[in-house]
Amino acid sequence: MSRWAVALPVALALAALTGCGSGTPASTSAASSGGGAAKTLTVFAAASLTGTFTELGTAFEAAHPGTSVKFNFGSSATLAQQITQGAPADVFAAASPATMKTVTDASLAGAPATFARNELEIAVPAGNPAKVDELKDLSDPKVKVALCAPQVPCGAAALKALGAAGLKVTPVTLEQDVKATLTKVELGEVDAALVYRTDVLAAGGEVKGIGFPEAGQAINDYPIAALFNAPAPDMAGRFVDLVLSSRGKDVLAKAGFETP
Amino acid sequence: MSATRTAPRRGSDRGPGTGAVTGRPPWVLLAPALLGLAFLVLPLAGLLIRAPWATLPQRLTEPHVLQALRLSLVTATLATATCLLLGVPLAWLLARVSFPGRRLVRALVTVPLVLPPVVGGVALLLVLGRRGLAGRWLEESFGVTLPFTTAGVVIAEAFVAMPFLVISVEGALRAADQRFEEAAATLGASRWTVFRRVTLPLVSPGVVAGAVLCWARALGEFGATITFAGNFPGTTQTMPLAVYLALETEPEAAIVLSLVLLAVSVLVLAGLRDRWVTGP
C-alpha cells in the first residue's frame, strides 16, 4: 500500500513530463531530426481535411522512405494562432483565406496556393423529420437549426449564403466547428444544419445532404503554404506539391472537394 | 489532516537535532516541489502579464461579455441549488445507510469527477436528447426538449459538479458525532426532524464548502455544456464557451474573459481557505 503511495505520484509526474514532451520540447527534436535519417514532416491542417490529408500523408511516406508525416488537425483559426505563437510546423493548410492571412501577415509564409474549394449543403438527419427541402425551410421557427459560429469559417460561409438568399434564420446553437455541428444532426438533436458537402459525404448514411443554389455564393477556398521557419523546408515544399498534383486532386475530389 | 498541521510544532519540541531536519528540506524534494509550484502558477501569471489592461474595462462591459457572465452566474447558482437538493440526501444515504453495493454506488457517484466532460455531454445527449431514452419521452409527453436550453446548461453543470458536493457532505457526515442524533431520537424526534434539526446543522460547514466548490466547478464547466446544451449567446453561451470562441478571432478578448473566470475561482478558493483541504 505504502509502495503504491509513492509509485502513483511518480507515475503521474512521468506522465505529465512525457505529456509535455509532445508540446514545446518537440520543436527541438523535430528541428534537429530534420537533417538526420528519420525525418519528420509536421503538417497543420484544418479539421475538414482529416480524411484526405491522412491519405495523402501515407502516400507521401510511401514516396519518401524514412520520412514520417505528423498531422495536427484542428480549427484553422486555432492552428493559425499556434503557428504565430511559434509552433513548429512545416506546412499549413487552412479552411479559409482569412485564417491563412493571420500567418502570412505575420511573415511566416509566402503566397499561399488554393488547392480545394468546399461548398455548403443542408444536412438533415436520416429520414428528414422536419421535411426540409430547400434553404428557405430553415427560416421556419419550427425547424431546429444548428449553424457554425460566425467566428469559424463554416459559420462565416453560412452567414454569407443566408445573406445571399435574403433569409433570416435563428439557430438553436452556434457550434464551435463543422464537425460538432454535424454531430448534432447525426444525433438527431437538430432538424437541419449548414455544413460542408465533404462532411456530409464523410458522415455516410446517418446524414443526408441537400444542395442549394446560394451555396455557390459562399464557396470556401482552402489555401496551403509551406512555412518559412519550417524545420524540414525541402519536405514541406514537396508535400505542398503533392497536394497540388493530380494525385492530390483525385483524393480531394473523391472526398467531395472541388479542385481548381 | 490535523496531524499534519501540528507536525512542525511537534518536530521543534523534539530538540535541535530533529528540528534541523524539518527546517531544511532535502534538495531531492525541494527542487521538484518548486518546479511543480512554478508549473501550476506560471501559466496563470502569463494570463496576467498578457492581459490587455488598458482596454480591460471597456472589454468587460461589452454586452456579450456581460450576457455570458450573467448566464454563467445564474446557471452555476441553479446547478448548485440542484446539487444541494439531490446531493445532500445522496451523501446522507452513502454515509448513514448501510446497503449492499454501497461501495459501488459511491464509486459511481464520483465518476463525473474523472470522466472527460465531453463524454458526460455525449452521455447526457443520449439520455436526455431529443432521441434519447428519457428525452424522447419528455418531448412526446410534455413537448419539452432540454438540449439548447438554459435548463440544459444547468443539467450539464450539475452533472459535472455534484460529486464535489456529495464527497464533501459525506465526509462531514462520517466525521460528525452520531451520538447527538441518537440522543435526539431517544427524546422522541422523528428521523426527518433529527436530520433537519441535528444532522444538517452539524455538517453545515461541510455542506457550505461542498456547495462553494460545486458552484466554482459549475462556473468553469465547458465540455459537457457545449456538447449537451450547445452554444447560443444569451441562452446557452456561458463564459467558458465565450472564451473558447473568442480565441478563434479575438485572442485578447479571450484573455479578458479568462481573467474574469480566474479571479472568480481564486476568490472562491481563497474564501474556502483550508476548509476544503483539511476537511472534516
Side-chain angles (χ1 to χ4, degrees):
Chain A
M1 202 61 195
S2 67
R3 194 178 295 171
W4 273 107
V6 177
L8 189 66
V10 170
L12 285 176
L14 280 176
L17 284 173
T18 46
C20 297
S22 63
T24 24
S27 61
T28 45
S29 63
S32 58
S33 67
K39 293 184 191 169
T40 303
L41 178 75
T42 309
V43 178
F44 280 34
S48 46
L49 297 168
T50 306
T52 50
F53 269 45
T54 305
E55 191 175 340
L56 288 172
T58 311
F60 190 83
E61 283 170 357
H64 301 87
T67 60
S68 79
V69 185
K70 217 174 67 190
F71 288 105
N72 180 15
F73 292 112
S75 134
S76 299
T78 309
L79 297 175
Q81 288 294 339
Q82 289 173 352
I83 291 168
T84 53
Q85 296 296 322
D90 294 297
V91 175
F92 179 37
S96 74
T99 43
M100 178 58 85
K101 196 166 173 291
T102 315
V103 172
T104 51
D105 280 357
S107 306
L108 294 170
T114 300
F115 66 95
R117 294 206 164 93
N118 217 342
E119 210 170 273
L120 289 178
E121 269 189 358
I122 304 165
V124 296
N128 195 359
K131 308 271 173 294
V132 172
D133 297 316
E134 49 183 339
L135 196 62
K136 190 160 58 76
D137 295 340
L138 302 195
S139 55
D140 181 342
K142 284 199 286 292
V143 177
K144 285 196 172 173
V145 180
L147 296 179
C148 297
Q151 290 94 332
V152 295
C154 62
L159 272 188
K160 216 194 275 180
L162 291 170
L167 286 173
K168 194 171 155 20
V169 169
T170 310
V172 291
T173 181
L174 295 165
E175 294 289 312
Q176 76 274 27
D177 61 48
V178 68
K179 295 287 183 203
T181 311
L182 192 69
T183 303
K184 296 290 194 293
V185 179
E186 282 177 289
L187 289 171
E189 292 303 332
V190 295
D191 301 313
L194 287 182
V195 297
Y196 296 125
R197 189 169 62 193
T198 52
D199 295 296
V200 174
L201 268 176
E206 292 289 303
V207 173
K208 194 181 137 211
I210 301 164
F212 58 95
E214 292 83 0
Q217 290 173 53
I219 285 180
N220 213 25
D221 283 348
Y222 281 59
I224 189 168
L227 298 168
F228 288 150
N229 299 332
D234 52 329
M235 312 257 290
R238 269 183 249 162
F239 187 83
V240 173
D241 289 344
L242 171 69
V243 172
L244 295 169
S245 71
S246 57
R247 171 78 190 271
K249 281 181 181 173
D250 285 348
V251 170
L252 289 158
K254 205 172 66 199
F257 287 102
E258 286 168 49
T259 48
Chain B
M1 280 298 164
S2 58
T4 40
R5 248 194 297 170
T6 53
R9 214 189 312 138
R10 223 185 291 147
S12 58
D13 288 346
R14 251 183 253 153
T18 42
V21 172
T22 37
R24 193 160 34 80
W27 276 104
V28 180
L29 294 181
L30 194 60
L34 291 178
L35 203 64
L37 181 68
F39 172 67
L40 292 177
V41 173
L42 277 181
L44 306 180
L47 210 54
L48 292 174
I49 293 163
R50 288 289 304 274
W53 293 104
T55 56
L56 198 68
Q58 172 221 329
R59 282 180 185 279
L60 277 180
T61 48
E62 276 178 32
H64 75 272
V65 174
L66 291 178
Q67 197 179 38
L69 184 60
R70 191 165 51 231
L71 187 72
S72 275
L73 297 176
V74 168
T75 52
T77 306
L78 287 174
T80 307
T82 310
C83 290
L84 279 169
L85 214 62
L86 306 176
V88 173
L90 181 56
W92 179 83
L93 196 70
L94 289 173
R96 289 291 150 86
V97 182
S98 177
F99 57 91
R102 181 160 70 164
R103 291 175 66 158
L104 179 69
V105 172
R106 186 178 296 132
L108 286 176
V109 164
T110 44
V111 162
L113 268 185
V114 287
L115 194 74
V118 179
V119 177
V122 173
L124 285 173
L125 265 184
L126 295 181
V127 174
L128 295 172
R130 263 212 305 181
R131 290 192 182 169
L133 300 170
R136 191 194 303 255
W137 171 75
L138 275 178
E139 189 181 30
E140 282 167 5
S141 314
F142 307 102
V144 175
T145 50
L146 291 169
F148 316 122
T149 61
T150 308
V153 178
V154 173
I155 288 172
E157 290 180 349
F159 177 78
V160 174
M162 185 127 73
F164 286 88
L165 184 88
V166 175
I167 288 176
S168 182
V169 176
E170 196 206 338
L173 279 167
R174 288 180 171 280
D177 198 335
Q178 286 201 42
R179 280 175 301 178
F180 292 110
E181 297 172 11
E182 283 157 12
T186 50
L187 291 172
S190 71
R191 298 196 75 173
W192 171 237
T193 312
V194 172
F195 176 75
R196 216 162 30 93
R197 304 289 293 271
V198 179
T199 315
L200 263 190
L202 261 181
V203 298
S204 64
V207 175
V208 171
V212 173
L213 269 180
C214 180
W215 187 81
R217 180 66 189 88
L219 194 72
E221 217 301 307
F222 171 79
T225 309
I226 202 162
T227 315
F228 178 62
N231 170 62
F232 196 77
T235 318
T236 56
Q237 188 180 75
T238 55
M239 288 288 277
L241 273 58
V243 171
Y244 187 77
L245 272 167
L247 211 51
E248 297 284 324
T249 44
E250 260 192 297
E252 296 228 312
I255 296 174
V256 171
L257 293 171
S258 305
L259 270 185
V260 176
L261 283 180
L262 178 65
V264 172
S265 311
V266 169
L267 279 178
V268 163
L269 293 176
L272 275 180
R273 288 203 198 88
D274 53 354
R275 186 173 287 161
W276 176 42
V277 193
T278 54

